[in-house]
Short mmCIF file of all heavy atoms in Angstrom, two decimals:
data_model
loop_
_atom_site.label_atom_id
_atom_site.label_comp_id
_atom_site.label_asym_id
_atom_site.label_seq_id
_atom_site.Cartn_x
_atom_site.Cartn_y
_atom_site.Cartn_z
N VAL I 250 -29.30 24.05 -14.41
CA VAL I 250 -29.88 22.91 -14.87
C VAL I 250 -29.11 22.25 -15.96
O VAL I 250 -29.03 22.88 -17.09
CB VAL I 250 -31.31 23.25 -15.43
CG1 VAL I 250 -32.04 21.98 -16.01
CG2 VAL I 250 -32.16 23.85 -14.24
N LEU I 251 -28.38 21.26 -15.74
CA LEU I 251 -27.37 20.72 -16.73
C LEU I 251 -28.06 20.09 -17.91
O LEU I 251 -29.05 19.43 -17.83
CB LEU I 251 -26.48 19.71 -16.06
CG LEU I 251 -25.53 20.28 -14.96
CD1 LEU I 251 -24.84 19.20 -14.27
CD2 LEU I 251 -24.57 21.25 -15.64
N ASN I 252 -27.53 20.44 -19.10
CA ASN I 252 -28.00 19.86 -20.33
C ASN I 252 -27.65 18.41 -20.36
O ASN I 252 -26.53 18.08 -20.12
CB ASN I 252 -27.47 20.60 -21.57
CG ASN I 252 -27.83 22.00 -21.64
OD1 ASN I 252 -28.93 22.37 -21.20
ND2 ASN I 252 -26.96 22.84 -22.18
N LYS I 253 -28.66 17.56 -20.63
CA LYS I 253 -28.38 16.07 -20.59
C LYS I 253 -29.27 15.42 -21.72
O LYS I 253 -30.33 15.85 -22.05
CB LYS I 253 -28.91 15.42 -19.26
CG LYS I 253 -28.28 15.91 -18.06
CD LYS I 253 -27.52 14.75 -17.37
CE LYS I 253 -26.57 15.34 -16.25
NZ LYS I 253 -25.45 14.45 -16.00
N GLN I 254 -28.61 14.31 -22.30
CA GLN I 254 -29.40 13.53 -23.28
C GLN I 254 -30.35 12.68 -22.50
O GLN I 254 -31.43 12.45 -22.96
CB GLN I 254 -28.43 12.69 -24.08
CG GLN I 254 -27.24 13.41 -24.88
CD GLN I 254 -27.82 14.20 -26.02
OE1 GLN I 254 -28.89 13.83 -26.52
NE2 GLN I 254 -27.06 15.12 -26.53
N SER I 255 -29.87 12.15 -21.38
CA SER I 255 -30.78 11.24 -20.59
C SER I 255 -30.37 11.40 -19.17
O SER I 255 -29.16 11.70 -18.86
CB SER I 255 -30.48 9.79 -21.05
OG SER I 255 -29.20 9.41 -20.83
N ALA I 256 -31.36 11.26 -18.34
CA ALA I 256 -31.17 11.50 -16.90
C ALA I 256 -30.11 10.50 -16.36
O ALA I 256 -29.97 9.40 -16.90
CB ALA I 256 -32.48 11.30 -16.13
N SER I 257 -29.36 10.93 -15.48
CA SER I 257 -28.27 10.22 -14.79
C SER I 257 -27.16 9.74 -15.61
O SER I 257 -26.40 8.84 -15.24
CB SER I 257 -28.69 9.12 -13.82
OG SER I 257 -30.01 8.62 -14.11
N GLU I 258 -27.04 10.20 -16.87
CA GLU I 258 -25.82 9.86 -17.74
C GLU I 258 -24.63 10.73 -17.14
O GLU I 258 -24.83 11.70 -16.70
CB GLU I 258 -26.04 10.14 -19.21
CG GLU I 258 -26.25 11.68 -19.41
CD GLU I 258 -26.13 12.09 -20.87
OE1 GLU I 258 -25.75 11.28 -21.71
OE2 GLU I 258 -26.44 13.29 -21.06
N LEU I 259 -23.46 10.08 -17.25
CA LEU I 259 -22.27 10.91 -16.91
C LEU I 259 -21.97 11.72 -18.00
O LEU I 259 -21.69 11.41 -19.10
CB LEU I 259 -21.12 9.96 -16.59
CG LEU I 259 -19.79 10.64 -16.26
CD1 LEU I 259 -19.85 11.31 -14.85
CD2 LEU I 259 -18.60 9.67 -16.29
N SER I 260 -22.18 13.13 -17.79
CA SER I 260 -21.95 14.03 -18.97
C SER I 260 -21.23 15.32 -18.55
O SER I 260 -21.13 15.63 -17.26
CB SER I 260 -23.33 14.34 -19.62
OG SER I 260 -24.13 15.05 -18.61
N PHE I 261 -20.68 16.03 -19.50
CA PHE I 261 -19.96 17.26 -19.24
C PHE I 261 -20.71 18.27 -18.58
O PHE I 261 -21.77 18.64 -19.01
CB PHE I 261 -19.46 17.72 -20.54
CG PHE I 261 -18.80 19.15 -20.48
CD1 PHE I 261 -17.65 19.40 -19.70
CD2 PHE I 261 -19.32 20.27 -21.19
CE1 PHE I 261 -17.13 20.66 -19.61
CE2 PHE I 261 -18.78 21.52 -21.05
CZ PHE I 261 -17.65 21.70 -20.24
N ALA I 262 -20.22 18.90 -17.47
CA ALA I 262 -20.98 19.81 -16.68
C ALA I 262 -20.26 21.14 -16.67
O ALA I 262 -21.02 22.25 -16.98
CB ALA I 262 -21.11 19.35 -15.23
N ALA I 263 -18.98 21.22 -16.49
CA ALA I 263 -18.33 22.61 -16.45
C ALA I 263 -16.81 22.41 -16.69
O ALA I 263 -16.25 21.30 -16.47
CB ALA I 263 -18.52 23.24 -15.07
N LYS I 264 -16.26 23.52 -17.25
CA LYS I 264 -14.84 23.53 -17.47
C LYS I 264 -14.26 24.94 -16.98
O LYS I 264 -14.91 25.90 -17.33
CB LYS I 264 -14.52 23.33 -18.91
CG LYS I 264 -13.02 23.31 -19.24
CD LYS I 264 -12.83 23.03 -20.71
CE LYS I 264 -11.38 23.15 -21.12
NZ LYS I 264 -11.09 22.83 -22.49
N ILE I 265 -13.21 24.84 -16.24
CA ILE I 265 -12.63 26.12 -15.75
C ILE I 265 -11.15 26.18 -16.19
O ILE I 265 -10.43 25.14 -15.95
CB ILE I 265 -12.76 26.23 -14.27
CG1 ILE I 265 -14.16 26.10 -13.83
CG2 ILE I 265 -12.21 27.57 -13.75
CD1 ILE I 265 -14.56 24.67 -13.39
N VAL I 266 -10.69 27.25 -16.74
CA VAL I 266 -9.30 27.46 -17.08
C VAL I 266 -8.79 28.68 -16.28
O VAL I 266 -9.44 29.73 -16.38
CB VAL I 266 -9.17 27.65 -18.59
CG1 VAL I 266 -7.69 27.91 -19.02
CG2 VAL I 266 -9.86 26.62 -19.45
N GLU I 267 -7.61 28.52 -15.65
CA GLU I 267 -7.05 29.70 -14.98
C GLU I 267 -5.95 30.08 -15.86
O GLU I 267 -4.94 29.30 -16.07
CB GLU I 267 -6.57 29.26 -13.55
CG GLU I 267 -6.36 30.49 -12.64
CD GLU I 267 -5.04 31.18 -12.90
OE1 GLU I 267 -4.06 30.59 -12.90
OE2 GLU I 267 -5.11 32.42 -13.16
N LEU I 268 -6.05 31.30 -16.39
CA LEU I 268 -5.17 31.74 -17.47
C LEU I 268 -3.73 31.79 -17.07
O LEU I 268 -2.87 31.40 -17.80
CB LEU I 268 -5.66 33.08 -18.05
CG LEU I 268 -7.08 32.99 -18.67
CD1 LEU I 268 -7.44 34.46 -19.08
CD2 LEU I 268 -7.02 32.08 -19.88
N LYS I 269 -3.40 32.30 -15.90
CA LYS I 269 -2.02 32.58 -15.55
C LYS I 269 -1.30 31.22 -15.31
O LYS I 269 -0.13 31.06 -15.85
CB LYS I 269 -1.96 33.43 -14.30
CG LYS I 269 -0.58 34.08 -14.15
CD LYS I 269 -0.60 35.36 -13.40
CE LYS I 269 0.79 36.00 -13.33
NZ LYS I 269 0.81 36.90 -12.21
N SER I 270 -1.89 30.36 -14.51
CA SER I 270 -1.14 29.01 -14.26
C SER I 270 -1.41 28.02 -15.39
O SER I 270 -0.58 27.04 -15.45
CB SER I 270 -1.68 28.44 -12.89
OG SER I 270 -3.05 28.16 -13.06
N GLY I 271 -2.42 28.15 -16.07
CA GLY I 271 -2.74 27.21 -17.12
C GLY I 271 -3.52 26.00 -16.58
O GLY I 271 -3.90 25.10 -17.40
N ARG I 272 -3.84 26.01 -15.33
CA ARG I 272 -4.53 24.90 -14.77
C ARG I 272 -5.91 24.78 -15.37
O ARG I 272 -6.70 25.86 -15.40
CB ARG I 272 -4.56 24.94 -13.17
CG ARG I 272 -3.28 24.65 -12.57
CD ARG I 272 -3.49 24.37 -11.07
NE ARG I 272 -2.14 24.20 -10.46
CZ ARG I 272 -1.47 25.26 -10.03
NH1 ARG I 272 -1.91 26.43 -10.10
NH2 ARG I 272 -0.27 25.11 -9.63
N VAL I 273 -6.32 23.57 -15.65
CA VAL I 273 -7.73 23.36 -16.25
C VAL I 273 -8.47 22.33 -15.40
O VAL I 273 -7.79 21.21 -15.00
CB VAL I 273 -7.65 22.83 -17.64
CG1 VAL I 273 -9.02 22.57 -18.27
CG2 VAL I 273 -6.91 23.86 -18.47
N MET I 274 -9.68 22.49 -15.04
CA MET I 274 -10.44 21.52 -14.36
C MET I 274 -11.75 21.34 -15.17
O MET I 274 -12.40 22.30 -15.45
CB MET I 274 -10.79 21.94 -12.92
CG MET I 274 -11.70 20.98 -12.20
SD MET I 274 -11.83 21.31 -10.40
CE MET I 274 -12.93 22.71 -10.40
N GLU I 275 -12.07 20.05 -15.41
CA GLU I 275 -13.17 19.74 -16.20
C GLU I 275 -14.12 18.79 -15.27
O GLU I 275 -13.59 17.87 -14.73
CB GLU I 275 -12.88 19.01 -17.41
CG GLU I 275 -13.57 19.48 -18.63
CD GLU I 275 -13.11 18.69 -19.88
OE1 GLU I 275 -11.90 18.93 -20.27
OE2 GLU I 275 -13.92 18.08 -20.48
N ILE I 276 -15.38 19.12 -15.21
CA ILE I 276 -16.25 18.37 -14.24
C ILE I 276 -17.31 17.72 -15.03
O ILE I 276 -18.05 18.29 -15.91
CB ILE I 276 -16.84 19.32 -13.23
CG1 ILE I 276 -15.84 19.97 -12.42
CG2 ILE I 276 -17.86 18.52 -12.37
CD1 ILE I 276 -16.46 21.02 -11.34
N SER I 277 -17.51 16.40 -14.87
CA SER I 277 -18.57 15.62 -15.45
C SER I 277 -19.35 15.03 -14.24
O SER I 277 -18.75 14.74 -13.25
CB SER I 277 -18.04 14.46 -16.28
OG SER I 277 -17.11 14.91 -17.17
N THR I 278 -20.59 14.85 -14.49
CA THR I 278 -21.45 14.28 -13.44
C THR I 278 -22.69 13.61 -13.94
O THR I 278 -23.15 13.82 -15.05
CB THR I 278 -21.91 15.44 -12.45
OG1 THR I 278 -22.51 14.91 -11.28
CG2 THR I 278 -22.88 16.40 -13.04
N THR I 279 -23.20 12.76 -13.06
CA THR I 279 -24.41 12.08 -13.36
C THR I 279 -25.60 12.78 -12.75
O THR I 279 -26.81 12.44 -12.99
CB THR I 279 -24.45 10.61 -12.66
OG1 THR I 279 -24.15 10.84 -11.22
CG2 THR I 279 -23.39 9.67 -13.24
N GLU I 280 -25.37 13.84 -11.97
CA GLU I 280 -26.40 14.63 -11.35
C GLU I 280 -27.11 15.63 -12.28
O GLU I 280 -26.46 16.08 -13.31
CB GLU I 280 -25.82 15.46 -10.18
CG GLU I 280 -25.45 14.57 -8.98
CD GLU I 280 -26.57 13.80 -8.42
OE1 GLU I 280 -27.34 14.35 -7.66
OE2 GLU I 280 -26.73 12.65 -8.80
N PRO I 281 -28.32 15.98 -12.06
CA PRO I 281 -29.02 16.92 -13.03
C PRO I 281 -28.61 18.32 -12.84
O PRO I 281 -28.95 19.18 -13.71
CB PRO I 281 -30.54 16.73 -12.55
CG PRO I 281 -30.46 16.23 -11.17
CD PRO I 281 -29.23 15.46 -11.00
N GLY I 282 -27.99 18.80 -11.66
CA GLY I 282 -27.76 20.17 -11.46
C GLY I 282 -26.34 20.42 -10.83
O GLY I 282 -25.63 19.53 -10.41
N ILE I 283 -26.02 21.68 -10.88
CA ILE I 283 -24.63 22.08 -10.28
C ILE I 283 -24.88 23.53 -9.69
O ILE I 283 -25.39 24.43 -10.27
CB ILE I 283 -23.57 22.07 -11.40
CG1 ILE I 283 -22.21 22.11 -10.75
CG2 ILE I 283 -23.70 23.18 -12.34
CD1 ILE I 283 -21.10 21.66 -11.69
N GLN I 284 -24.62 23.55 -8.35
CA GLN I 284 -24.69 24.91 -7.71
C GLN I 284 -23.36 25.64 -7.89
O GLN I 284 -22.32 25.13 -7.45
CB GLN I 284 -25.00 24.62 -6.19
CG GLN I 284 -25.14 25.96 -5.41
CD GLN I 284 -26.55 26.50 -5.42
OE1 GLN I 284 -27.55 25.86 -5.85
NE2 GLN I 284 -26.74 27.73 -4.93
N PHE I 285 -23.48 26.80 -8.42
CA PHE I 285 -22.28 27.61 -8.70
C PHE I 285 -22.32 28.75 -7.59
O PHE I 285 -23.25 29.46 -7.56
CB PHE I 285 -22.38 28.24 -10.12
CG PHE I 285 -21.20 29.15 -10.34
CD1 PHE I 285 -19.93 29.00 -9.92
CD2 PHE I 285 -21.46 30.39 -10.96
CE1 PHE I 285 -18.88 29.87 -10.13
CE2 PHE I 285 -20.44 31.42 -11.16
CZ PHE I 285 -19.20 31.08 -10.74
N TYR I 286 -21.34 28.71 -6.74
CA TYR I 286 -21.30 29.57 -5.55
C TYR I 286 -19.91 30.23 -5.50
O TYR I 286 -18.95 29.52 -5.66
CB TYR I 286 -21.57 28.74 -4.30
CG TYR I 286 -21.40 29.43 -3.03
CD1 TYR I 286 -22.11 30.61 -2.70
CD2 TYR I 286 -20.47 28.96 -2.11
CE1 TYR I 286 -21.90 31.26 -1.56
CE2 TYR I 286 -20.25 29.58 -0.88
CZ TYR I 286 -20.95 30.76 -0.60
OH TYR I 286 -20.73 31.41 0.58
N THR I 287 -19.84 31.52 -5.33
CA THR I 287 -18.57 32.26 -5.37
C THR I 287 -18.08 32.71 -3.98
O THR I 287 -17.32 33.68 -3.95
CB THR I 287 -18.63 33.40 -6.41
OG1 THR I 287 -19.80 34.16 -6.06
CG2 THR I 287 -18.66 32.98 -7.77
N GLY I 288 -18.43 31.87 -2.99
CA GLY I 288 -17.83 32.21 -1.68
C GLY I 288 -18.30 33.55 -1.20
O GLY I 288 -17.46 34.30 -0.55
N ASN I 289 -19.54 33.86 -1.36
CA ASN I 289 -20.00 35.21 -1.01
C ASN I 289 -20.06 35.46 0.48
O ASN I 289 -20.09 36.54 1.02
CB ASN I 289 -21.42 35.49 -1.57
CG ASN I 289 -21.52 35.15 -3.03
OD1 ASN I 289 -20.54 35.29 -3.75
ND2 ASN I 289 -22.61 34.60 -3.45
N PHE I 290 -20.14 34.23 1.23
CA PHE I 290 -20.06 34.36 2.69
C PHE I 290 -18.82 34.17 3.39
O PHE I 290 -18.72 34.06 4.60
CB PHE I 290 -21.20 33.33 3.25
CG PHE I 290 -22.56 33.38 2.72
CD1 PHE I 290 -23.20 32.36 2.11
CD2 PHE I 290 -23.30 34.61 2.80
CE1 PHE I 290 -24.50 32.46 1.59
CE2 PHE I 290 -24.48 34.72 2.24
CZ PHE I 290 -25.16 33.65 1.67
N LEU I 291 -17.72 34.14 2.61
CA LEU I 291 -16.40 34.13 3.13
C LEU I 291 -16.13 35.49 3.60
O LEU I 291 -16.16 36.49 2.92
CB LEU I 291 -15.35 33.70 2.05
CG LEU I 291 -15.52 32.22 1.57
CD1 LEU I 291 -14.38 31.97 0.51
CD2 LEU I 291 -15.41 31.21 2.69
N ASN I 292 -15.71 35.65 4.89
CA ASN I 292 -15.48 36.98 5.41
C ASN I 292 -14.30 36.92 6.37
O ASN I 292 -14.46 37.03 7.53
CB ASN I 292 -16.69 37.51 6.13
CG ASN I 292 -17.20 36.58 7.24
OD1 ASN I 292 -16.67 35.42 7.25
ND2 ASN I 292 -18.05 37.04 8.06
N GLY I 293 -13.08 36.71 5.80
CA GLY I 293 -11.89 36.67 6.69
C GLY I 293 -11.78 35.45 7.43
O GLY I 293 -11.38 35.41 8.66
N VAL I 294 -12.13 34.22 6.87
CA VAL I 294 -12.00 33.07 7.50
C VAL I 294 -10.48 32.58 7.53
O VAL I 294 -9.84 32.55 6.52
CB VAL I 294 -12.81 31.89 6.83
CG1 VAL I 294 -12.63 30.58 7.61
CG2 VAL I 294 -14.22 32.25 6.69
#
Side-chain angles (χ1 to χ4, degrees):
V250 175
L251 292 171
N252 297 330
K253 297 245 169 204
Q254 304 285 342
S255 61
S257 22
E258 63 166 355
L259 179 67
S260 60
F261 170 61
K264 180 176 176 180
I265 305 93
V266 181
E267 199 280 306
L268 295 174
K269 200 156 182 201
S270 64
R272 287 195 186 86
V273 179
M274 177 169 74
E275 227 178 295
I276 300 177
S277 312
T278 188
T279 54
E280 290 298 279
I283 196 164
Q284 181 86 12
F285 173 46
Y286 169 61
T287 47
N289 311 327
F290 303 125
L291 296 178
N292 55 349
V294 180

